Amino acid sequence: MKFVNEYRDPELGKKLLERIHRRSRKRARLMEFCGGHTVAIFKHGLRQLLPDNIEMLSGPGCPVCVTASADLDKAIALGRLPDVIITSFGDMVRVPGSRSSLQQAKAEGADVRIVYSAQDALAIARDNPEKSVIFIGIGFETTAPTIAASILQAEQEKLDNYYVLSLHKVCPPIMKAILDMGEVNLNGIICPGHVSTIIGSHPYQFIADEYKIACAVSGFEPLDILLAVDRLVEQIESGQPKVEIAYRRGVKPEGNVPAIRLLETVFEAGEANWRGIGAVPASGLQVKSQYEKYDAAKNFKIDPGPTLEPEGCICGSILRGVSTPRDCGLFGGTCTPEHPVGPCMVSSEGSCASYYHYGDSHGR
Ligand code: SF4
């Protein structure tokens, strides 16, 4: 399979691992920011292959997982309004909010539909002019340009029944927030691959300059990740942190300029609420006032009620890198992928789901 097999070549993998083992002397704590990396690392058993002095932590890069219960409650309350169709990516509908989930709201009569893109949601709006169609916009800089394009298209088509509830998040401010909290002492960060195809590698420069932490942007195949770890080890051992791209087939330093322009046409930076972290300034994307007729947050009156967190769930501290799923008393017992208590077990990119499906008995 072109563009896959060559990044899973066992001989090249062995050579990279030998080099990592040969060079790595210092204790190093690395965080993979992105949930896609967490899945790939577990699926290919990479943690077990790395030297014992390298510790891997998962970060807050799973968009479903970081969506706060209060925001989920808003989506559920919108779904309970008359003549509303909620459209959402699949994983979101199963995530429990304070008292319910979108899936439960659907079972109780709400019109909740799973879509694969904002274009699907637009099509539903076209087909149902008598209904208000609300797209639950989650994700990072990767998905936001396509949602921005859907709003521009709705404007072009003069669709007046399409709305977006923008729960989008952006990565660099949350990386800064986690580093400023000082709960995890990191030596290196595997920077997100998909996000970086949009924003490039420049926005991470402050991590190397101000926090003296090594950075490498990685793709999602095993050789991509091993190359990123190799680059981080090199920087850590030499004491020269910088930002390297170990995913050159997907990422340019300046990113995807037309996609950034598209995103900035429709959205502007605003405060976002992160599960387990709270409100972080400029870490979200809000619909600009110029496009507010498409902003679900501004056009519907709802009362989502008080926010409750799932009892016993420690997703928040897992997303900050402070705990691992093995620290949760509910892991694998009360909480499983079939009966998830928190979002990290629901999402296919969640740490708890990765540990459950691929982790070994030592929790690595
Ligand atoms: S195992 Fe379940 S309850 Fe525990 S942190 Fe993960 S999602 Fe939450």
Side-chain angles (χ1 to χ4, degrees), residues 290-347:
Q290 185 186 344
Y291 296 99
E292 70 182 12
K293 66 178 280 205
Y294 304 101
D295 186 352
K298 298 236 174 87
N299 288 283
F300 297 90
K301 214 171 159 27
I302 46 169
D303 177 13
T307 307
L308 304 169
E309 297 301 336
E311 208 172 319
C313 174
I314 61 163
C315 276
S317 60
I318 292 171
L319 292 165
R320 300 199 306 276
V322 177
S323 306
T324 76
R326 299 274 182 198
D327 299 321
C328 178
L330 307 184
F331 177 82
T334 310
C335 184
T336 62
E338 291 74 34
H339 300 286
V341 174
C344 299
M345 190 62 95
V346 175
S347 171

Side-chain angles (χ1 to χ4, degrees), residues 25-243:
R25 293 282 168 266
K26 298 177 183 170
R27 291 205 72 76
R29 185 180 268 180
L30 312 182
M31 176 182 271
E32 82 271 2
F33 177 89
C34 175
H37 285 146
T38 304
V39 175
I41 287 167
F42 272 91
K43 198 168 164 183
H44 297 289
L46 300 183
R47 281 192 179 198
Q48 290 88 337
L49 298 174
L50 293 174
D52 287 342
N53 57 311
I54 294 182
E55 183 187 357
M56 300 292 295
L57 292 178
S58 303
C62 158
V64 170
C65 307
V66 294
T67 301
S69 293
D71 287 334
L72 269 162
D73 294 344
K74 284 181 200 163
I76 294 162
L78 285 167
R80 292 204 159 113
L81 294 175
D83 297 322
V84 161
I85 300 175
I86 293 289
T87 54
S88 168
F89 295 136
D91 279 352
M92 271 298 279
V93 304
R94 295 182 63 219
V95 180
S98 298
R99 284 159 291 276
S100 184
S101 64
L102 282 169
Q103 191 173 46
Q104 205 174 322
K106 182 178 169 72
E108 290 163 5
D111 193 344
V112 178
R113 305 187 191 184
I114 292 173
V115 293
Y116 294 99
S117 72
Q119 289 300 316
D120 293 346
L122 269 183
I124 292 171
R126 269 182 225 114
D127 292 345
N128 296 273
E130 73 292 356
K131 305 267 185 171
S132 298
V133 175
I134 302 175
F135 180 72
I136 309 299
I138 63 156
F140 294 103
E141 293 94 326
T142 327
T143 46
T146 62
I147 318 292
S150 76
I151 288 179
L152 294 178
Q153 193 170 340
E155 184 184 50
Q156 200 182 0
E157 293 182 25
K158 300 192 179 1
L159 271 181
D160 58 8
N161 65 330
Y162 177 68
Y163 305 88
V164 171
L165 180 67
S166 179
L167 305 177
H168 294 102
K169 312 270 191 294
V170 289
C171 293
I174 199 63
M175 290 172 150
K176 182 171 179 355
I178 284 180
L179 295 176
D180 286 343
M181 280 178 197
E183 293 178 308
V184 281
N185 289 318
L186 299 178
N187 306 99
I189 296 179
I190 298 179
C191 299
H194 293 146
V195 164
S196 305
T197 60
I198 305 296
I199 67 171
S201 59
H202 292 320
Y204 310 122
Q205 195 59 47
F206 75 94
I207 300 175
D209 293 347
E210 294 170 30
Y211 295 89
K212 310 298 176 206
I213 292 174
C215 290
V217 179
S218 176
F220 296 87
E221 292 301 327
L223 292 190
D224 293 321
I225 294 169
L226 289 178
L227 182 61
V229 171
D230 175 70
R231 297 294 77 222
L232 292 176
V233 165
E234 167 80 22
Q235 293 179 41
I236 292 164
E237 294 298 328
S238 67
Q240 293 181 328
K242 54 188 166 187
V243 181

